[in-house]
């Protein structure tokens, strides 16, 4: 019996196709926003999380400044000096401390001269750490060896920066010659993939920066609890700073992979909440559109309602017919919105991965998001159709039949 | 013969605020199974309201309406709808066909609300439409049919659920006299050959000749002859 109501509803919608499609459009826009924005923001979260996962659980990151404002810390040039590095090394549980100073520098490859970001990495201690815990691998060539004036480059360097570059080429950094020993596999974001990394000693002598690093990575002894180690490091750092009365003692932060993950999680959660809030407004407007259309429809079809009631239609039958109509508008709008939303999400993904790779964004398309989009649009349709349908159902057959 | 329909002291009063409009003033009569009744009255006499009472489209302000021995004046709206679907077949002056449905779909429509399958009723609808001479018009929409054809579709629709009573409201009012005669002939056949109870409400005294019982109404009262 319900299939017949469905057919009736469909026929009614078809007989007013222009109005029906416009009403559908209202829902399409709302669902389109929900699906595209949620799948993209979820994808963004995924890619950030994937990068974080490369950072193992026994790795800590230490940087100066308190955790509330990383940008100021990074931009302000505040650095961890050798004394602080020593203090970190003293902390219980700490195995290796890796300084990762970086700076922008002029780099020349044959006739081409460009600005590039150069990193200093302790090739003896640091390389194994990066290899094992941060997923650094070579796509071609080999890791550089200390004392041989070798560098490794990010995978976008031979593509974007110096298009002709090959392993074995020599490059000139601030007047000193180095040999490219290998190309790194992608590290997951454009900034890291444009890096030129050299031995820490070479970095120091080339750039003239004798000490200091804006960030240090700490590897713990296997099995040592990350939270306890973080406390140990903080204690050692505080002690080392109180000894230096003559200087302002900057604060510092120790981050475990867990705190970083939580931070990203909460930021992305806020973003998604905002996305849902805005998209909900769009869907609400769509729902009001459905309600408007259905009220008009009920009014126009007063006579028809009278006829249906005369030949035996109960209130519930009339309600169902109109609810089906509203529900169909909702679900068609939902399908349209889901399809368009996914199309946009996939286009954005293609744009970032192939056409303009600033960073690696994969749209997160989950079956749940699709089902949610469809279910939500159907529910909005039915809810919006409910009051008009009830108004139709409540009409007295005599009055409805007399209506012209 | 048993009474199919009986009205006992039926009043219908419309409350228009300052004045109370008494449209029916204590109407009582009965209709037996197999009767062909003509309800005759000028416009404004209350005959349409009386038709609404007889066909369970409305309930009286006062008094009782018995259909098949049951007092339907106390029925809820949904219960009345079920009674209409099962026991009453309507034929309207304006035909009241749904414009976007074909002839056969219009005929099958009342079965929809009884939970019976469309498919099995479609066969019966075809038979009925053929019996009123519309076998070649099954898939035409009302806009493609003449007035007489529309009224025959409406009569077919009235028959689909095999009702106790066929109630016709000015069935010849919107067609020419020749077609009108044909429609009445059709109703007469249903009464004589199939033994169906037929009630025709009209202002046209010409139709008296088809009836075995005449109910005259004026100003909300029955006129005894």
């Amino acid at each position: 019996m319900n299939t017949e109501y469905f057919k009736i509803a469909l026929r009614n919608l078809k007989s007013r196709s222009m109005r029906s499609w416009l009403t559908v459009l209202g829902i399409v826009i709302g669902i389109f926003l929900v699906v595209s924005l949620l799948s993209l923001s979820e994808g963004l979260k995924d890619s950030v999380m994937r990068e974080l996962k490369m950072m193992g659980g026994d790795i800590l990151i230490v940087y100066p400044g308190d955790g509330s404002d990383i940008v100021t810390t990074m931009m302000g040039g505040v650095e961890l000096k050798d004394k602080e590095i020593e203090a970190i090394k003293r902390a219980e549980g700490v195995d290796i401390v890796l300084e990762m100073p970086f700076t922008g520098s002029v780099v020349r490859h044959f006739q081409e001269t460009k600005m590039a970001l150069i990193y200093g990495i302790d090739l003896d201690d640091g390389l194994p750490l990066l290899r094992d815990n941060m997923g650094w691998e070579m796509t071609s060539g080999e890791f550089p060896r200390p004392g041989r004036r070798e560098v490794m480059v990010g995978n976008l360097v031979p593509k974007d920066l110096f298009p002709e570059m090959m392993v074995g080429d020599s490059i000139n950094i601030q007047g000193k010659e180095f040999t490219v020993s290998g190309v790194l596999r992608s590290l997951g974001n454009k900034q890291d993939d444009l890096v030129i990394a050299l031995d820490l000693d070479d970095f120091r002598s080339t750039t003239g920066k004798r000490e200091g690093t804006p960030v240090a990575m700490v590897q713990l002894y296997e099995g040592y609890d990350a939270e306890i180690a973080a406390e140990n490091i903080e204690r050692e750092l505080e002690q080392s700073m109180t000894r230096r009365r003559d200087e302002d003692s900057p604060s510092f932060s120790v981050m475990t992979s867990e705190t970083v993950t939580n931070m990203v999680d909460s930021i992305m959660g806020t973003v998604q909440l905002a996305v849902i809030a805005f998209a909900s407004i769009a869907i609400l407007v769509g729902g009001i559109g459905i309600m408007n259309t259905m009220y008009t429809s009920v009014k126009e079809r007063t006579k028809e309602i009278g006829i249906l009631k005369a030949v035996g239609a109960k209130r519930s039958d009339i309600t169902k017919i109109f609810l089906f109509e509203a529900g169909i508008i909702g679900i068609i709008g939902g399908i349209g919105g889901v399809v368009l939303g996914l199309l946009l999400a996939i286009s954005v993904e293609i744009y970032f991965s192939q056409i303009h790779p600033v960073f690696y964004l994969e749209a997160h398309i989950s079956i749940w998001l699709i089902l949610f989009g469809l279910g939500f649009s159907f529910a909005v349709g039915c809810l919006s159709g409910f009051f008009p349908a009830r108004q139709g159902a409540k009409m007295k057959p005599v009055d409805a039949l007399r209506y012209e | 013969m048993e009474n199919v329909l009986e009205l006992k002291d039926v009043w219908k009063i419309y409350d228009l605020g300052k004045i109370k409009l008494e449209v029916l003033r204590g109407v009582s009569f009965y209709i037996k199974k197999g009767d062909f009744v003509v309800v005759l009255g000028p416009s404004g006499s209350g005959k349409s309201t009386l038709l609404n009472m007889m066909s369970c489209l409305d309930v009286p302000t006062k008094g009782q309406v018995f259909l098949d021995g049951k007092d339907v004046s106390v029925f809820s709206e949904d219960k009345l709808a079920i009674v209409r679907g099962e026991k009453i077949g309507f034929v309207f002056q304006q035909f009241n066909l749904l414009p976007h449905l074909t002839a056969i779909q219009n005929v099958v429509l009342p079965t929809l609300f009884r939970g019976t399958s469309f498919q099995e009723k479609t066969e019966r609808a075809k038979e009925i439409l053929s019996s009123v001479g519309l076998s070649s018009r099954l898939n035409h929409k009302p806009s493609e049919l003449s007035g007489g054809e529309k009224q025959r579709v409406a009569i077919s629709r009235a028959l689909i659920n095999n009702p106790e009573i066929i109630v016709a409201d000015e069935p010849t009012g919107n067609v020419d006299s020749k077609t009108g005669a044909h429609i009445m002939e059709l109703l007469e056949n249903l009464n004589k050959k199939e033994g169906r109870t037929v009630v025709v409400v009209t202002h046209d005294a010409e139709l008296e000749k088809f009836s075995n019982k005449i109910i005259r109404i004026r100003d909300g009262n029955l006129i005894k002859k």
Side-chain angles (χ1 to χ4, degrees):
Chain A
M1 195 160 75
N2 282 341
T3 55
E4 292 305 330
Y5 288 148
F6 179 78
K7 280 188 207 157
I8 290 176
L10 212 58
R11 204 156 38 210
N12 286 335
L13 290 172
K14 267 196 219 154
S15 66
R16 300 166 185 77
S17 60
M18 184 63 174
R19 194 200 300 164
S20 303
W21 282 119
L22 287 175
T23 315
V24 165
L25 192 61
I27 292 295
V28 167
I29 292 169
I31 297 295
F32 161 74
L33 284 176
V34 170
V35 170
S36 58
L37 294 180
L38 277 188
S39 61
L40 286 175
S41 63
E42 192 64 29
L44 186 61
K45 185 169 148 185
D46 282 356
S47 66
V48 174
M49 288 298 186
R50 207 176 314 123
E51 262 186 65
L52 289 174
K53 283 228 179 69
M54 287 183 184
M55 176 174 144
D58 55 354
I59 296 284
L60 302 182
I61 292 173
V62 185
Y63 58 90
D66 60 22
S68 62
D69 195 355
I70 300 173
V71 178
T72 311
T73 307
M74 292 291 188
M75 305 297 284
V78 185
E79 293 190 326
L80 294 166
K81 302 289 184 193
D82 283 349
K83 274 182 186 164
E84 279 117 19
I85 299 294
E86 287 307 317
I88 297 169
K89 278 182 179 157
R90 278 200 301 275
E92 200 190 320
V94 173
D95 182 8
I96 301 168
V97 179
L98 176 62
E99 297 173 66
M100 286 189 85
F102 53 84
T103 185
S105 170
V106 177
V107 177
R108 187 164 55 78
H109 174 249
F110 295 117
Q111 300 308 315
E112 256 181 306
T113 307
K114 293 217 169 137
M115 278 296 285
L117 200 63
I118 58 172
Y119 267 69
I121 291 165
D122 186 330
L123 292 179
D124 285 325
D125 283 350
L127 210 48
L129 190 155
L130 293 171
R131 222 165 24 203
D132 298 344
N133 291 288
M134 303 296 281
W136 286 36
E137 280 174 37
M138 287 292 163
T139 51
S140 61
E142 286 168 8
F143 281 107
R145 287 155 295 181
R148 312 219 6 190
R149 302 179 82 80
E150 288 177 339
V151 300
M152 55 187 159
V153 298
N155 80 324
L156 286 181
V157 174
K159 283 181 189 149
D160 290 3
L161 208 59
F162 300 112
E164 303 288 298
M165 182 182 273
M166 309 237 282
V167 171
D169 281 2
S170 66
I171 58 170
N172 187 302
I173 302 172
Q174 296 196 352
K176 292 190 174 146
E177 290 290 325
F178 292 89
T179 309
V180 177
S181 74
V183 180
L184 283 162
R185 192 183 63 108
S186 169
L187 295 171
N189 67 66
K190 195 176 182 184
Q191 195 198 20
D192 283 351
D193 285 347
L194 279 170
V195 88
I196 296 174
L198 42 153
D199 189 27
L200 188 61
D201 292 338
D202 292 336
F203 179 89
R204 295 277 186 228
S205 60
T206 309
T207 60
K209 286 163 69 98
R210 292 275 158 232
E211 64 170 332
T213 174
V215 60
M217 272 167 97
V218 176
Q219 178 163 33
L220 305 176
Y221 286 115
E222 216 177 302
Y224 202 92
D225 187 273
E227 294 300 324
I228 295 171
E231 283 169 28
N232 295 342
I233 293 169
E234 280 168 22
R235 203 176 326 108
E236 290 292 343
L237 276 171
E238 270 163 26
Q239 281 171 9
S240 91
M241 288 187 177
T242 45
R243 262 183 253 135
R244 294 186 323 201
R245 299 258 167 86
D246 53 328
E247 279 177 43
D248 286 340
S249 59
S251 53
F252 50 86
S253 300
V254 183
M255 290 179 97
T256 63
S257 63
E258 203 180 335
T259 51
V260 178
T261 309
N262 289 345
M263 205 167 72
V264 171
D265 226 14
S266 90
I267 292 171
M268 291 313 292
T270 313
V271 169
Q272 287 181 340
L273 214 62
V275 164
I276 290 174
F278 285 121
S280 299
I281 293 170
I283 292 171
L284 181 76
V285 173
I288 293 171
I290 292 185
M291 202 182 271
N292 187 19
T293 299
M294 294 312 293
Y295 268 122
T296 314
S297 192
V298 165
K299 188 84 182 156
E300 276 177 353
R301 277 146 64 191
T302 303
K303 179 106 179 179
E304 182 178 326
I305 293 170
I307 297 168
L308 294 177
K309 286 200 152 190
V311 300
K314 297 180 287 294
R315 286 178 190 220
S316 57
D317 297 319
I318 304 290
T319 308
K320 267 190 217 165
I321 288 173
F322 283 98
L323 273 187
F324 265 96
E325 277 188 47
I328 290 170
I329 291 178
I331 197 88
I332 290 178
I335 293 169
V338 166
V339 169
L340 289 181
L342 293 183
L343 276 180
L344 179 77
I346 291 167
S347 319
V348 169
E349 181 183 316
I350 290 171
Y351 177 78
F352 277 124
S353 68
Q354 289 169 16
I355 300 165
H356 194 77
V358 188
F359 61 105
Y360 302 88
L361 177 63
E362 248 174 57
H364 183 99
I365 295 162
S366 76
I367 186 77
W368 295 113
L369 183 63
I370 293 169
L371 290 179
F372 167 78
L374 296 181
F376 193 45
S377 59
F378 182 67
V380 167
C382 289
L383 271 177
S384 313
F386 180 74
F387 290 103
R390 213 178 54 164
Q391 192 193 46
K394 275 202 312 207
M395 284 179 187
K396 291 213 176 302
V398 192
D399 301 334
L401 273 173
R402 215 182 296 137
Y403 188 88
E404 287 300 330
Chain B
M1 281 276 228
E2 56 183 305
N3 290 346
V4 177
L5 189 69
E6 185 172 4
L7 275 69
K8 282 186 178 167
D9 191 29
V10 166
W11 288 74
K12 188 67 185 180
I13 303 164
Y14 289 104
D15 193 345
L16 303 175
K18 279 182 186 163
I19 49 162
K20 298 212 187 308
L21 193 64
E22 294 177 348
V23 181
L24 293 178
R25 299 167 170 169
V27 173
S28 302
F29 64 87
Y30 60 84
I31 293 169
K32 284 191 184 300
K33 196 171 171 60
D35 274 350
F36 195 119
V37 179
V38 167
V39 178
L40 205 58
S43 63
S45 60
K47 65 178 189 303
S48 291
T49 308
L50 186 61
L51 170 121
N52 292 342
M53 300 299 144
M54 289 192 287
S55 56
C56 300
L57 278 172
D58 204 353
V59 288
T61 316
K62 252 192 322 192
Q64 293 165 301
V65 177
F66 292 93
L67 183 70
D68 264 350
K70 283 187 193 118
D71 184 3
V72 297
S73 58
V74 297
F75 275 21
S76 71
E77 210 181 293
D78 276 353
K79 236 172 156 185
L80 284 174
I82 295 169
V83 170
R84 286 195 296 271
E86 285 177 357
K87 303 200 166 173
I88 315 279
F90 283 95
V91 179
F92 299 94
Q93 180 178 4
Q94 306 288 346
F95 320 124
N96 283 352
L97 301 174
L98 295 191
H100 48 271
L101 298 186
T102 62
I104 194 155
Q105 286 170 334
N106 264 293
V107 173
V108 179
L109 190 67
T111 65
L112 176 62
F113 309 112
R114 302 192 59 191
T116 45
S117 94
F118 245 38
Q119 223 56 45
E120 73 184 63
K121 289 293 175 181
T122 307
E123 281 308 307
R124 178 160 158 73
K126 267 186 206 162
E127 281 169 30
I128 298 172
L129 280 166
S130 300
S131 74
V132 298
L134 288 177
S135 50
S136 61
R137 289 280 190 267
L138 298 181
N139 296 316
H140 289 239
K141 293 200 169 162
S143 57
E144 300 158 347
L145 299 172
S146 72
E149 286 170 329
K150 281 186 219 173
Q151 199 56 299
R152 279 184 277 161
V153 173
I155 291 172
S156 305
R157 181 178 65 187
L159 291 170
I160 189 80
N161 276 341
N162 211 4
E164 292 280 334
I165 308 175
I166 294 169
V167 181
D169 182 13
E170 301 277 12
T172 59
N174 264 10
V175 292
D176 61 66
S177 56
K178 196 174 152 214
T179 313
H182 185 72
I183 298 286
M184 287 312 290
E185 207 176 290
L186 210 62
L187 290 172
E188 194 178 27
N189 274 339
L190 290 172
N191 176 250
K192 293 235 167 78
K193 290 188 184 156
E194 298 183 22
R196 291 182 193 277
T197 312
V198 177
V199 178
V200 174
V201 177
T202 183
H203 67 281
D204 184 2
E206 279 283 294
L207 304 185
E208 276 183 27
K209 63 181 182 223
F210 295 97
S211 68
N212 67 342
K213 180 173 180 137
I214 301 168
I215 294 169
R216 291 171 207 279
I217 182 167
R218 184 178 281 268
D219 300 330
N221 292 307
L222 294 196
I223 302 166
K224 301 279 186 305
K225 226 183 178 178

